[in-house]
Amino acid sequence: MAEIIRAWTAEEPLADLSLHHDWDYMAGMISSLRIYLFEHGTVPTWNYLFCGGRPELAIPSSWAYTWPSLFVYLLPPNQAIIAVWITLTAVGFAASFVLLRNWTGSRLGAFTGAWIYTLNGYFSMRFNVGQVTFAFFHLLPLIMLLFERALDTRLAGGRGLGALAGLTLVSFLFFTAGLPHGVFFFYPAFALLALFRLVSAARGFGAARCMGAAGAVVVAHGLGLWLSAYRILPPLYWQLAHPREGVLPESFTLSRGCFSTP
């Protein structure tokens, strides 16, 4: 039976450890990118190890050609993963705190809510198995905060250019790094918040004024999404053109669900 070694008490440096579950998978991806750049002076365009071979941009979990690669090239694999978790958790905590404080007016309540959100068992479990993609969930509270600030500023007659620019930037960061889990599992929360805020604004300020104020906000968010198309479309097109065989959940559609016969 293999000996279980805890990373924080191991005699070997963290960079030399091969950790369990998806830690090893993500660390392998980071190691590959580091070898390509530091030993060959390039960034790969094709990954021959993923599903029999696939373009690098068509791999949702790859950080090639995305901003998380900054962590890749600055730190060894395991340290890079931990740095991403710490950085994104701090962003999520700060954004959640401000957002909840604006909603409730209570600093204690906002602190408690932000603490529960960012440090709950769900994220701890994902961290434990190395599923670092879930760390990018923490950009969503920041998108929510910037959306509300931009909308409120424009409803009050201001231009809100700073909040609009921030919304575009953070939306771009999310859509180029949150694949696939952030988009599938948490982006609907932002969509529901935006719908709720727009309906509330229409009731309070009138539909015409609300639409005028919301137009620029929606465009700013949409611009971030449009700029991210280079990262979103390749996995989508490749999956539709070359679906993986033998993976049951990926064969489900709206017309062919769990209870349909093949």
Side-chain angles (χ1 to χ4, degrees), residues 17 19 22-32 77-78 81:
L17 296 177
L19 304 180
D22 286 348
W23 279 90
D24 187 50
Y25 172 76
M26 296 303 297
M29 177 270 295
I30 293 173
S31 296
S32 176
N78 290 333
I81 295 173

Side-chain angles (χ1 to χ4, degrees), residues 73-99:
Y73 301 130
L74 289 174
L75 297 168
N78 290 333
Q79 285 90 330
I81 295 173
I82 293 174
V84 168
W85 272 104
I86 292 175
T87 301
L88 271 295
T89 299
V91 170
F93 183 89
S96 298
F97 173 80
V98 177
L99 191 65

